[in-house]
């Protein structure tokens, strides 16, 4: 019962990892197929923005996950009331 919110956060973390890797890999695959290294300024800016957005969201989610583990270890009797499914959804959305 104590691990249920952690699985929810791990699901969100894995989706964020897919999002961060899908910002750089498609262009790398295209460049390797056509043996080019060119990228427009706009595409580069979008790629950097999306990658930084995904990585910063991942760091926020990792911080929330550490808070979740802190609450599970230090206050196990209050864990169910403090970190219910609604609170976990709100924290994931805030990240």
């Amino acid at each position: 019962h104590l691990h249920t919110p952690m699985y929810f956060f791990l699901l969100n973390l894995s989706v964020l990892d897919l999002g961060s890797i899908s910002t750089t890999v498609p262009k790398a695959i295209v460049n390797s197929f056509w043996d080019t290294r060119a990228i427009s300024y706009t595409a580069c800016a979008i790629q950097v923005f999306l990658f930084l957005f995904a990585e910063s969201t991942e760091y926020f989610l990792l911080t929330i996950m550490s808070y979740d583990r802190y609450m599970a270890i230090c206050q196990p009797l209050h864990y169910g009331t403090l970190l219910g499914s609604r609170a976990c959804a709100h924290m994931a959305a805030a990240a």
Side-chain angles (χ1 to χ4, degrees), residues 40-95:
S40 68
Y41 179 77
T42 306
C44 180
I46 290 171
Q47 187 177 19
V48 167
F49 173 75
L50 289 175
F51 184 75
L52 290 177
F53 177 74
E55 290 301 312
S56 63
T57 306
E58 184 174 343
Y59 291 138
F60 288 133
L61 193 60
L62 285 171
T63 304
I64 291 170
M65 289 172 71
S66 67
Y67 177 71
D68 173 61
R69 288 297 90 195
Y70 167 77
M71 293 301 291
I73 292 169
C74 293
Q75 296 181 351
L77 297 177
H78 298 289
Y79 182 73
T81 57
L82 293 175
L83 289 176
S85 62
R86 182 177 232 172
C88 291
H90 284 290
M91 287 191 297

Side-chain angles (χ1 to χ4, degrees), residues 13-53:
L13 188 65
S14 63
V15 169
L16 279 172
D17 284 337
L18 284 173
S20 67
I21 196 69
S22 66
T23 59
T24 56
V25 170
K27 184 63 179 170
I29 291 173
V30 167
N31 287 345
S32 67
F33 279 143
W34 284 301
D35 196 29
T36 63
R37 293 186 179 170
I39 185 170
S40 68
Y41 179 77
T42 306
C44 180
I46 290 171
Q47 187 177 19
V48 167
F49 173 75
L50 289 175
F51 184 75
L52 290 177
F53 177 74

